[in-house]
Amino acid sequence: MSPLDAAPMDPSLLRRAFGCFPSGVTAVCALDSGTPVGMAASTFTPVSLVPPLVSICVQDTSRTWPRLRERRRLGLSLLAEGQDAICRSLAGKEGDRFADVDWEAGEDDSVYIHGAGLWLDCSTYAEFPGGDHTIVLLEIHGLKAEPDREPLVFHGSRFRRLAVS
């Protein structure tokens, strides 16, 4: 008998299982007619050095991604430790997501979050269906990195700190 549960996958059980994997949290943002639009994404993954690509996964029900995908450039900010309130704001369904968020716009209407550990200037490279999500490849055109800034880590449905050993 297998030690694994072979029952049909319950989405809440699967969500809890996926929560066993710690991840960083990114903000993907741009200006739309002069107004900042953005969302939080915890499914950020470096993909390729040549061409320079990263990926995010976006829920198919997202009302924000359709607005962002049409932008020429997107700002991807890897949120830093202590920016959990910004993450919650950008993940919110209602209200002004940028009300208490310090940000700046790039030349091509990309938007970056102040205090983030990494800024990537990106454009949409490709999209692929992935179940109830869309897998989005983003091509990197420029970056600013602060490697000594601790990242915001999401694990087990809550924010955590990295331990130094």
Side-chain angles (χ1 to χ4, degrees):
M1 179 136 190
S2 170
L4 303 179
D5 186 0
M9 286 295 121
D10 171 9
S12 63
L13 176 64
L14 196 52
R15 178 183 296 276
R16 201 167 48 245
F18 287 169
C20 291
F21 183 74
S23 64
V25 181
T26 61
V28 182
C29 309
L31 291 179
D32 182 4
S33 302
T35 302
V37 175
M39 63 184 193
S42 63
T43 53
F44 167 81
T45 305
V47 173
S48 171
L49 296 176
V50 181
L53 300 173
V54 296
S55 71
I56 60 170
C57 295
V58 180
Q59 286 183 342
D60 290 340
T61 57
S62 172
R63 296 186 322 246
T64 306
W65 178 243
R67 293 177 67 191
L68 289 171
R69 90 162 28 102
E70 300 303 321
R71 308 283 48 97
R72 182 170 174 257
R73 289 291 174 90
L74 301 170
L76 188 144
S77 302
L78 180 63
L79 298 180
E81 187 177 279
Q83 292 188 310
D84 29 327
I86 292 171
C87 178
R88 285 187 192 95
S89 182
L90 292 173
K93 302 287 186 204
E94 305 298 327
D96 179 0
R97 292 180 179 180
F98 288 86
D100 295 317
V101 176
D102 290 330
W103 59 274
E104 68 181 78
E107 292 178 18
D108 291 322
D109 290 341
S110 51
V111 169
Y112 304 96
I113 306 302
H114 286 186
L118 173 65
W119 287 357
L120 297 177
D121 173 29
C122 301
S123 62
T124 302
Y125 184 82
E127 293 185 36
F128 305 95
D132 59 1
H133 280 64
T134 298
I135 302 162
V136 181
L137 292 180
L138 300 172
E139 183 172 9
I140 302 167
H141 302 284
L143 64 85
K144 177 183 173 187
E146 301 282 345
D148 292 332
R149 190 161 284 158
E150 296 296 329
L152 181 62
V153 176
F154 193 70
H155 175 258
S157 298
R158 60 186 189 166
F159 298 109
R160 303 192 188 246
R161 294 178 183 261
L162 292 178
V164 179
S165 59

